[in-house]
Amino acid sequence: DQQVKQNSPSLSVQEGRISILNCDYTNSMFDYFLWYKKYPAEGPTFLISISSIKDKNEDGRFTVFLNKSAKHLSLHIVPSQPGDSAVYFCAATNSGYALNFGKGTSLLVTP
Amino acid sequence: DAMVIQNPRYQVTQFGKPVTLSCSQTLNHNVMYWYQQKSSQAPKLLFHYYDKDFNNEADTPDNFQSRRPNTSFCFLDIRSPGLGDAAMYLCATSRDRGAYNEQFFGPGTRLTVL
């Protein structure tokens, strides 16, 4: 059963605007959450993470928000750039090594 | 550049014919992972090696095995591939186990089963 869900398979955003990618999880034992970015023909690369003791983590244009009560996290990209066009995977773990991934959201940033 | 390399990038095999996928790393990481990603699905961890210690996920079919002859190399063996084993296979490494150890992924091997 899918413990990490990304319900939007795709998202299109204009350059300069905000991209918001959403992720929901079902396992309340998850305590560390990550976002990976994947370009075609390449492996996923780590983007940003957040521990369950925080509700926000920011790194440049990328911010991840965590709402534990709703079991929801989101990735905000501001401003979006064409080079951000990629598939974004949400992942979660319970302090272990095993990453539970979502199916990914394909982001297209148009000029 | 230090990296995770997977060979071949594309592999075609016949139903029931054993196949081996290869992964190598120049990062000198202790942990190597194999993930399976079927079309439009999430990557799913099959197993990992922590140094020489093999760790199988509970729901990984017996058809899938792995070898790690040294720190740099790890192999995924599929003994009798079925049509349902067609997928992208991703290798990843991390310095140590635990959530805070970033996993570095290779580009994947896409397996087709005829």
Side-chain angles (χ1 to χ4, degrees):
Chain A
D1 62 340
Q2 195 72 22
Q3 298 185 76
V4 177
K5 297 178 183 178
Q6 294 178 256
N7 292 320
S8 297
S10 63
L11 176 67
S12 183
V13 172
Q14 274 191 322
E15 181 178 5
R17 305 292 290 268
I18 184 172
S19 295
I20 300 176
L21 293 90
N22 293 304
C23 178
D24 297 294
Y25 61 96
T26 58
N27 189 338
S28 58
M29 298 299 291
F30 288 149
D31 59 4
Y32 194 68
F33 304 88
L34 310 91
W35 286 93
Y36 276 78
K37 177 179 182 179
K38 184 183 181 307
Y39 290 119
E42 296 182 12
T45 55
F46 170 76
L47 183 59
I48 192 170
S49 63
I50 187 167
S51 166
S52 60
I53 62 173
K54 295 185 174 182
D55 55 17
K56 177 182 175 181
N57 188 28
E58 191 171 356
D59 183 3
R61 296 185 297 112
F62 303 90
T63 302
V64 57
F65 294 92
L66 175 63
N67 182 334
K68 282 195 298 181
S69 61
K71 296 192 180 68
H72 177 82
L73 64 156
S74 60
L75 174 68
H76 292 210
I77 306 173
V78 184
S80 300
Q81 299 174 354
D84 297 329
S85 298
V87 177
Y88 290 79
F89 290 97
C90 173
T93 182
N94 53 343
S95 297
Y97 56 86
L99 294 180
N100 295 272
F101 282 93
K103 294 183 180 182
T105 296
S106 178
L107 173 66
L108 176 64
V109 180
T110 57
Chain B
D1 286 341
M3 56 198 316
V4 181
I5 302 160
Q6 291 189 245
N7 286 308
R9 296 292 306 275
Y10 300 90
Q11 177 73 56
V12 180
T13 190
Q14 290 183 329
F15 182 94
K17 185 176 181 181
V19 65
T20 294
L21 308 183
S22 168
C23 177
S24 64
Q25 54 129 343
T26 60
L27 297 159
N28 204 33
H29 282 171
N30 285 321
V31 192
M32 295 187 76
Y33 310 80
W34 280 102
Y35 288 83
Q36 179 193 60
Q37 184 183 14
K38 295 185 178 180
S39 180
S40 301
Q41 299 297 311
K44 180 178 178 298
L45 182 64
L46 294 173
F47 28 59
H48 77 278
Y49 269 96
Y50 181 61
D51 194 13
K52 298 178 182 178
D53 182 29
F54 177 70
N55 297 269
N56 202 24
E57 294 302 300
D59 54 356
T60 298
D62 292 340
N63 200 24
F64 291 85
Q65 311 218 318
S66 185
R67 297 170 284 136
R68 189 179 185 186
N70 53 53
T71 300
S72 301
F73 284 87
C74 194
F75 300 99
L76 170 62
D77 300 309
I78 309 176
R79 289 193 297 186
S80 181
L83 297 178
D85 296 327
M88 175 72 81
Y89 290 89
L90 295 164
C91 174
T93 73
S94 65
R95 188 183 312 278
D96 204 340
R97 279 195 300 204
Y100 299 98
N101 289 275
E102 180 183 343
Q103 293 189 21
F104 294 79
F105 284 82
T109 294
R110 183 167 297 282
L111 178 68
T112 299
V113 181
L114 300 177

